[in-house]
Amino acid sequence: MIKYDQQATINKARYFLTNDFMNWINQGGITVSQLSSPQFDGTPGGHTYTNTVEKALTSELSRAEHAEYVANTILLALHGCTDFESQKHKTILLSCYVKKMTTEQVKIKIGFSNKQYKRAKRDALFEFAERMDFWSQRRHLESDLYTLMVPKRDHQGTLEGPKETLKGPKKVPQRDT
């Protein structure tokens, strides 16, 4: 099993949600009400898994349709995060990165102490990174969405884990602004 650098992965997820997330959402034509909707399912048609027809059609999408497909993929990852009583990952991420609430507002909303909140936010960011990697691979968007998971390296700088399954992190794509 591949081992991941938790802190580096969390930092990369935080960077993505702070800097790239809203760009994809805006380019994809997603509205603010769709971002936090409990009914969100990620696709206009109602299913969330890519089939061979959908895979073939993604190469035929217009730029706007492709941006919407990418944005919905990100939302699948975000809305898929855990939201149990003791693990309010989805609530924390939506509150911080969609609703732009302050740390104090989020802590009050979920009823966590400062220590509980810091731990839960770190866990939420790591879970989001895992889900983003799953959905970007599942929906064949690796060339659009850079991996957020950072493989752990040993003291000599080599990747830890089985050699045949390790892939280094992809470079962040440059976007026109």
Side-chain angles (χ1 to χ4, degrees):
M1 177 162 212
I2 300 172
K3 295 180 183 178
Y4 292 101
D5 182 327
Q6 187 174 18
Q7 188 57 52
T9 298
I10 289 167
N11 291 342
K12 212 167 173 185
R14 182 180 293 118
Y15 179 88
F16 177 85
L17 287 167
T18 303
N19 297 291
D20 297 334
F21 171 62
M22 287 308 290
N23 291 333
W24 279 113
I25 297 305
N26 291 336
Q27 289 176 25
I30 305 297
T31 64
V32 175
S33 62
Q34 288 173 290
L35 290 176
S36 54
S37 170
Q39 285 79 35
F40 174 80
D41 71 359
T43 59
H47 74 86
T48 59
Y49 295 97
T50 306
N51 61 33
T52 52
V53 174
E54 187 177 357
K55 182 179 173 184
L57 291 176
T58 58
S59 63
E60 303 295 322
L61 296 176
S62 71
R63 184 175 169 195
E65 290 168 328
H66 183 75
E68 181 181 13
Y69 187 75
V70 173
N72 280 323
T73 301
I74 296 165
L75 291 177
L76 282 169
L78 185 61
H79 282 274
C81 288
T82 308
D83 218 22
F84 298 127
E85 191 64 34
S86 63
Q87 296 180 324
K88 294 288 191 178
H89 298 173
K90 180 170 81 170
T91 299
I92 290 169
L93 296 174
L94 288 171
S95 298
C96 291
Y97 299 103
V98 173
K99 297 177 182 175
K100 306 292 185 191
M101 294 171 69
T102 66
T103 298
E104 288 304 314
Q105 290 172 322
V106 178
K107 287 190 312 190
I108 291 168
K109 179 179 181 170
I110 60 176
F112 282 11
S113 69
N114 193 48
K115 185 177 180 178
Q116 288 173 310
Y117 173 77
K118 284 182 179 182
R119 179 68 183 161
K121 187 171 182 185
R122 289 174 46 83
D123 292 346
L125 288 164
F126 193 83
E127 180 182 359
F128 173 74
E130 289 178 310
R131 291 181 181 278
M132 271 293 293
D133 277 13
F134 169 80
W135 282 111
S136 66
Q137 290 172 26
R138 178 77 173 161
R139 298 185 101 196
H140 309 283
L141 292 171
E142 297 96 329
S143 62
D144 296 294
L145 296 169
Y146 55 92
T147 184
L148 300 179
M149 300 300 292
V150 179
K152 197 174 229 179
R153 298 183 180 274
D154 65 16
H155 65 282
Q156 296 174 332
T158 49
L159 297 172
E160 292 185 18
K163 302 290 184 221
E164 65 277 359
T165 61
L166 287 174
K167 294 180 183 176
K170 294 181 182 180
K171 292 183 181 177
V172 176
Q174 298 298 318
R175 292 192 178 79
D176 297 333
T177 53

